[in-house]
Each structure stands twice: as C-alpha cells, then as structure tokens.
Amino acid sequence: MSAAALLCAGTLAVPGTALADDSGPGPEQITNGDFATGDAAPWWWTPNTSAAVSDGRLCVEVPAGTADAWDVIIGQNDVPILEGESYELSYTASSTVPLTVQTRVQEAVEPYTTVLATADPVGTEDTRVTRTFTASVDQPAASVQLQIGGGEPATSFCLDDVSLRGGAEPPVYVPDTGSPVRVNQVGYLPHGPKGGTVVTDADAPLTWTVKAQDGTTAATGSTVPEGEDPSSRQRVHTFGFDDLTTVGDGYTVEVDGEVSEPFSIRGDLYDGLRSDALAYFYHNRSGIEIDAELVGERYARPAGHIGVAPNKGDTDVPCRPGVCDYRLDVSGGWYDAGDHGKYVVNGGISVAQLMSTYERTLTADAAESAQLDDGALRVPERGNGVPDILDEARWEMDFLIRMQVPAGEPLAGMVHHKMHDAEWTGLPMKPHLDPQQRELHPPSTAATLNLAATAAQCARLYAPFDAAFADRCLRAAETAWDAAERHPHVLADPDDGVGGGTYDDNDVSDEFYWAAAELFTSTGKDTYRQAVLSSDLHGDVDAVFPAGGGISWGSTAGLGALTLSTVPNALTADQLAGVRSVVTTAADRYAAQSREQAYGLPYAPGGGDYVWGSNSQVLNNMVVLAVAHDLTGEAAYQDAVLRGADYLLGRNPLNQSYVTGYGERDSHNQHHRFWAHQNDPSLPNPAPGAVAGGPNFTAASSGDPVAEQKLSGCAPAMCYVDDIGSWSTNEITINWNAPLAFIASYLDDAGDGGQTASGRTCRVAYSSHPWNSGSTVTVRVENTGPSSIEPWSLTWLLPGEQRLSHTWSAEFEQHGRTVSARPLAWNRTLAPGAAVDFGFNTSASDASPDPGTFKLNGRACASGTAG
Ligand code: 9MR
C-alpha cells in the first residue's frame, strides 16, 4: 500500500476510514474488475485516449499535454452507493511516466458530487491503491473514476484488480417493462393484421378498447386468454383490431385500465425505416470520411483505417505471424459491428442481402425501385447513374475482393477469413483513433465461398451499370469457386478470437450450395448446375432452412434457395417448382409459428434457445416469408411478416422497440465503439434504424458482464438489456441490419399500395413467334395511368438464355438476362391511354416465354393484351 493510500478520503465522505468491524468488506460493486475475459466492458474512457485489454490488464494511452486531471478518465458507471455505508476501493496501476491519479467516486452527471476524492501517486511498477470511505449521500448510479489527465508527457497507464466492496448486495434486476399492453409502437398498415398482447393474471376475457388521438373509441372487443407464454413465462391474452383501417396517429389500446404506447395506422409507416436501415451501412463504412452533409454534424467523423497514425492499417496489412509473408491493401468495407473488425464471412451475407433488396425490384411485381435508386439514399456516390443501394453494396464488394489471396501466393484464389485488431480495443473509440495493429487471418473455405457467391451476384447486377466491375466480380467469383473446390476443408480456427470474433463454422456444405446457386444463376454453366443439383442440401427444407434457426452467417444455403426461386435461371420447370416449394414449406412453418405464439413472432427455437442476435433470426425468417409472398401472393405470408415487425417494434415481453429511433421505448444504448453516448455524452447514440441483437438465452453465461449481473435466470425472450456494456444482447451489426433493410423495403412497398394489381398504371403484352432458327418477340406497353411518362424505360429479366439480335422501334440493352428498352426520339412520350410497340429477334428457335414481371420506370405493369 502506498503512503498516499493512508490519507483520509473524499470531500463529502463522513470522517473516519475504518470499516465497521461487524460489516466485513461487504459485497463487490465493481463489474469486470480483473479484465479476465479479455474484454473491457463496462469500463469506459474519454475518447481522446485509446485502450485495450492486454495480458489481463486494461491499458490506456494517455495523450500528452492535457490541462486537467478530468481530461483523461477511465471509469465505470452505474455503481450503487448507499448513504451511511462504508466502502473500500482498491486497484493496482502502473504508468510508464509516473503520475498522480485523482481517484473519484462521484455522481456521473452534474454537479458531480463526490463521496471519495483522493490523490494517489502511481509509479512505473505496479502500485496498489486502497481507499476507504463512508458515503454521506445516496448515489444509486455513481461513477468510479480514475482521472489521469493534466500531465505534460504522454504515458501508458495500466489498470488491474479494481474492487469496490461494501454497501448492500446488488439488487435483483427487474426490467422496467412499462405498460402490460403491448403493441407495435410504430404502428400498423391500414390493411394488415393488427394484433397485440396484454400481460395479465385474469382467467376470463377482458375488454379491449382502441382510442383515437382525440380520446374517442375507435374499436372495441374481447381479449383471448392464452395462458402462460413459454418465451416470457408471462400469463397473457391477445387481442386484434384488424377491421380498424382509419388512417391516423396517436392511437392507444386500453385493457383493464392499462394503456399501451401510442401508435399510428398508415400506409407510409415504413418509408423512413427503409432509408434509415440502409444508412446504417454508410455510417459504418471504413476508409472514408463520414460526411456531415449526408449524416449531420453529430454523426460525421474522419475516415478510419486509411493508413494514418495512430491507425496501423488497413491499406497495408500484414498477416498474423506465420500465416503469410505478403501484405494487402484491404481498406474499405464496413466495420462489422460494435467492433472495428472486418470479416468476410459476415460481410458476405450482409452484402448479399443488400444486393437482394435491390434484385427484388427486378423480380417481384410488388417491389419498387425508386427509393433505392440513384439520388434516393444518403451515399456520397449519389448522382453517378447507379442505384444508390448498389453504390453502398459496392463499398463492401470491393473490400471482399481485396481479401482474396493474390495469384502466385500459396492458396491463391482463396480468401482471408477476416482482418482485425491484434488485441480487443474498448469503448468508446472512434475508428481513426484505433492504435492497434491490424492483421490478416488465414484463408478459409467459408470465406472463399462467401466471395464466390456474392461476387457472382455482383456480376449480374452491376452489368448494366459498370461492365468492367461486373467482369471483375465474375473473375473473382470463379477464381474463388475453383480455389474452394481445391481446398474444400480449410476451416477457421474456433480459438482465433483475440481482438476480433471467430466466425468459425465447421460445415461449409451450405456455403458451397449458396455459391453454386449464385454462379449458376449468373452464368448458366453446367458445372454450377451440377453442383446445385448434386448437393445433399438441394430440395431438403430441413437442411436449407434448419428448424428453429434459419438463414444466418453460418447457415447460408437459404440465400441460394431464395435466389434460385426468384431470379430467372436455367433450371427446368420441375426443378424450379421443387426449389420454390422448399421456400414455401419453410415459410409455412414460420407462418404457423407466428400464428401460434402469443407475441406473434415467426421464430420459435427449440427449448426457447433464443440465439445471439435472435432478432436477426426473426428478420431472416421474415425475409423467407416475404419472398414466399412475392412468389405466391398469399396474404398469410405477408401477415406473418407484419406480425414479425410488430414483435421487433414493441409487441414483445419487454415492451421494447429494438430499432433505434422507432417507437416510444426504443433501444438506443447498443454496444458500439463510436455511437457510445452512454459512456461519453459527447458521442451520439446509434443513428436511427439500427436493430439490436436482441434476447440471447445464454447471455448470462457468455462473459457479458452486464448480462452476468442482470440476466441470470431470465426467460428466453427477456434475456436482453439496453445497456452499452451488454455485448451479447445489445450489439448492432451489418448482418442484422441487412435483413432489416430488406424487410423495411418490403414493408414500405406493401404499405404504399401503389403496386397492388389494381394500382398498376401500365400494361405489357409480350408475344413470341418462333421460326426455324430463331424467334421474333413483339412488345406493346400501354400507359393506363393518368400522367404522361417521359422518357420511359421498360426492364425485364429474360426467363431463358436468349440473345437479342435484330431490334426495332426502341433502344435495347442486354446484360445477361437483364433487358431494358428505351425510347427513340419519336416515341419518347407515353401519353395517358397511349401505347408504344417495339420488338426484337432472338437466336433461340423455341418460343421466348413471357417473363411475367415488367418494370416501367421501376414500377410493375399488368400483363395482358393492350387495348
Ligand atoms: O453474430 C455472432 C454470433 O452469431 C456468434 O454467436 C458470436 C460469438 O461467436 O459472435 C457474433 O458475432 C460478433 C463477432 O464475433 C464480432 N463482431 C460483433 C459480432 C456481433 O456480436
């Protein structure tokens, strides 16, 4: 113990330093004081420093020349302090340049009243500081702080074995779940289902009443008792008011004197969520300044990881020792999550789902392209003639391609599994301040197939916009596929988890299936057809959409099945029907789960095992339901998607909207290194449209310090806390926001109603006339709407492999299966009631089947004979 540690404590402490004899040291109030798991949460530090856990200690780089002690702080908040109780605070510290720590236990906010304030010298060798005090006031959420600024030279300060003993046993955590009446806090589509859940011990039905904003009764009825809901262990009733279709805001539901959060009924509910969920990706770009013009001052930040100190990467990155002897420029891409790692396996599913959000506008009648198009989103590339969603996806695609092992090196064509910091960094930290060495980790078959799949999808989608990039994607995809075939069992090491996540996966048959499906769809080549058809997974719904889970970064076969069933390809009609039935069978199961559960969600894992990122499993099941709805038009699928949205936005056991900025009780303290407002008020909360991982049944035993403290014994759907320290329940990541973006886009289209069959404003007649060595196709497109369309552009995907030869009366472009027809000078205007005729010959001697889906300036047309 140092001499200083014998000094008397704090400004407001009651005099006297001895602990009462009969009280003993008392319970521990500090969480994660020994940094044993390698993680720093829930510790925080001022953003002018960087910190990392190294050898079981938290080490902070203190900058030179700060003015005051409080300019550099390491702290832990939410420590309960009780008036009149005695405490002992102790820690071990060292500093490469000796300094004096201002040790504080105080309020976290103004007026920062202290219950302990001492000055404690710390030298270059480990110094144990021990302080005792008796609290003169209650501080239910005190902040323990080591203030270490104010010194001239820079220094490295390391901390270990922090303990604050005394006071009362920490209270048992009881979540604040607000009203027992649970609804979608954003609202309901006018023509969708409108269900809710109420927690109650009543055995008999209760009366529910929907009140409009002016207090009048809009609808009323009786609840349905459902008994105990196993996901929450709550006794619940359900209610529904589907028939209420009057558009409005500020509705509430009352049951038994309890009132729900307010909500709206309107068709444009999901308009903002579509662009916010997509903006998440720009916000989290690596290697580019985040521009205030696009995101506002609060979210703007300098470019991270562009090779400028203190960053050590990402433009020239070595491998981990012994892995390779070259260096790669792997700049760009998106940060994975709350951490700054970049992982090919997780980047793959994320970019695929963004590209599929776009691709759906080409293949699904109900999908609109306007809100994803050039100029529609907040990306710096707006105005370049390419749909903005593809600009965003390209930021990641370019990075994924950079991760490929160069020709001439061992394992050429394979793809590095991941790149990230050598040691875990802590919160908060802006990307450009990360001082850790960045390292490439060994290639893996899974990462290689992620590149094969996504680059194949890239090839067909970018062809109309940038042929050279599309070619580059195709070459990368085919090279990756060949390399994966040569090295089919190179698995990521499950123990390679220091400084970044492992994303290990010991079964890559699903990645092979996904990559084969994408390559086959883009190229039609027989090799890939064989790989699809001979896969054990093909046609097996339980393997493609595993029960309980579904699509995830480690289970990607479903991505391939969704592509095969929606994007025109060279499967036979029977084969296509087979793969579509796999999708609809899975969707039938999810729809049944949604109907059967009291909270309406299409996710029911066996044993209530809500996995890490369970909200993304809900979302991915919603994606399957949405595609099934696109394929069949069956309302039951769309209803289940909508009930899934209800769950995510508030109709759940915690009365929590899991999406930032949406709903009255939204998650806004997610685990993230620079959206770390909870740790540092000068930093922002997550930007609107960020979905939290959600309940994780194993959180309390995962090493997550907040979950350990608060969630032991939780019911599955309640294992969640909106705290920045809870990385296993409350992180945000690209692979969770990608299905959110897909679903928000789907829901926005569903709500607009402009794309319903009755709302169409154009009609296309497509007739094919075969002759001996080719066929002639004539197309008539008619404007059935009230306004002129000028210039017009009609796009469709060819159902077969035909090449267009002679064309007339329009300008044609063909990129693979994508065909667009644009007007000539004399038929630029398509007046209401008018039609234009044009046509082409194809090389195929059999009839060219009607593609079914035609988009006139991005909106679907009816099929049939024009009038
Ligand atoms: O999302 C991943 C989840 O499925 C795994 O169970 C978990 C443990 O391996 O890792 C999650 O991914 C994290 C990754 O390893 C590092 N970046 C943050 C990711 C989300 O928490």
Side-chain angles (χ1 to χ4, degrees), residues 23 31 36 45 60 75 100 149 173 190 226 252 273 306 442 550 630 632 757 822 829 856:
S23 64
T31 302
W45 43 88
V60 178
T100 298
Y173 173 72
E226 305 278 1
T252 51
L273 184 59
I306 50 170
D630 283 341
T632 65
R822 295 196 176 78
T829 309
L856 184 66

Side-chain angles (χ1 to χ4, degrees), residues 336-337 339 343 424 501-503 553 612 727 731 733 735-736:
D336 189 56
D339 63 320
Y343 311 84
W424 281 109
T502 56
Y503 284 117
W553 62 262
W612 191 317
W727 39 261
E731 194 156 356
T733 94
N735 68 311
W736 302 341

Side-chain angles (χ1 to χ4, degrees), residues 394 462-463 465-475:
R394 182 171 177 166
Y462 290 80
F465 306 104
D466 184 340
F469 178 58
D471 280 352
R472 193 146 69 82
C473 281
L474 190 57
R475 277 199 308 279

